[in-house]
Amino acid sequence: MRVRLLVSCALLSLAGCSRKGADESATLVPEVRTRLAERDAKLTSYRLSGTVKDEGQPPVGFTFDYRAPQRMRGTLGPPASRTFAWDGTHLFQRLDGEKQFSTFKSELPPAKLAEFLTRTFGPFTPEGFRTPLLSRSATARRATHPRAPEAVELVQKLEGEAAGVEMVYVLRWPRLDFLGRRTRAPDGTEAEERVEDEHCDEKLGLCVPKRLTRWLAGRQVGETVLGGVELNAPLPNDAFTLTAPEGYEVQSRTLVESPPTPP
């Protein structure tokens, strides 16, 4: 009888903890969404320069300029320098090694265009500068972190091609500075991105990463180091409209939606 009573008490305790966690998440997630939107509104532009290094590869330099809404310009290299820019209407691509210059007019639906721009310019934007995309099923919980006595973890299960992958963002509370991201694949493989150094702007009341490391199964496999960070830098319109240098082959193209793949 005593054993049965202890088991019953344990089950009731676990149920109580589960309800408490669900209640906390239900309250915390809307607050996180609101604070993320407020943070995003503060950071209207930025200019970055740095290097990216992956395991077994030499470092690659890059620069990236961003100004809301949707003005972007990124450059990779040398040795093979290439520049991409979006001025709100046209995409520009300049390949210095091949001396080619292309201008793309978009005929994509808004959702497809946003997806295309994310794929094109996402590699230029380190975590911590863009707002995490939270699914409707995302949950939140209080946590601690070596860089923040108070933090929050955002947990969500990915869908589509990444179905089954769990992703956890770790953000400093209450400013929601990015501190790290963990992913766990269905086969148990774990990856992590960690903030090792930060650039803080007390006027804006936020911090962004200056050095990030990438880990796979407990082993470091990459690093991004930002040597230059300018927040809310003045970036004029013509900074995102490229022109062809003399001697370059010039092409005009159109971005269109791909036809559906036949079964």
Side-chain angles (χ1 to χ4, degrees), residues 43 45-52 60-66 73 75 124-126 129 197-200 208-212 224-233 235:
L43 200 54
S45 68
Y46 48 82
R47 171 171 282 162
L48 312 176
S49 61
T51 58
V52 175
V60 176
F62 75 97
T63 64
F64 185 62
D65 293 349
Y66 168 83
R73 174 173 175 161
T75 300
F124 292 99
T125 316
F129 289 87
D197 192 14
E198 295 177 283
H199 171 91
C200 296
V208 293
K210 278 187 67 177
R211 178 171 170 256
L212 293 140
T224 298
V225 179
L226 298 177
V229 178
E230 296 179 60
L231 303 182
N232 286 357
L235 298 172

Side-chain angles (χ1 to χ4, degrees), residues 106-146:
S106 176
E107 292 184 358
L108 293 172
K112 292 288 185 180
L113 176 60
E115 181 182 342
F116 174 80
L117 293 175
T118 298
R119 289 201 311 268
T120 302
F121 294 99
F124 292 99
T125 316
E127 287 289 355
F129 289 87
R130 55 179 182 261
T131 301
L133 296 176
L134 301 184
S135 65
R136 287 179 294 180
S137 60
T139 60
R141 61 196 180 209
R142 299 282 186 175
T144 60
H145 187 274

Side-chain angles (χ1 to χ4, degrees), residues 2 43 50 63-64 81 83 97 103 109 126 147 149 155 157 169 175 178 190 212 231 234 256 261:
R2 178 179 174 81
L43 200 54
T63 64
F64 185 62
S81 295
T83 301
T103 301
R147 305 187 69 90
V155 185
K157 298 281 189 180
Y169 280 94
R175 303 200 309 192
F178 176 79
E190 295 183 349
L212 293 140
L231 303 182
V256 296
T261 304

Side-chain angles (χ1 to χ4, degrees), residues 151-209:
V152 62
E153 291 185 345
L154 306 178
V155 185
Q156 56 188 337
K157 298 281 189 180
L158 303 188
E159 301 175 353
E161 294 180 0
V165 174
E166 182 183 76
M167 180 181 294
V168 181
Y169 280 94
V170 186
L171 309 175
R172 179 182 284 117
W173 186 261
R175 303 200 309 192
L176 300 187
D177 303 322
F178 176 79
L179 299 174
R181 183 183 63 176
R182 305 189 303 270
T183 58
R184 182 181 177 87
D187 64 0
T189 302
E190 295 183 349
E192 186 176 2
E193 194 161 10
R194 304 174 186 170
V195 173
E196 307 289 357
D197 192 14
E198 295 177 283
H199 171 91
C200 296
D201 188 315
E202 293 308 318
K203 185 178 179 180
L204 292 175
L206 54 82
C207 296
V208 293

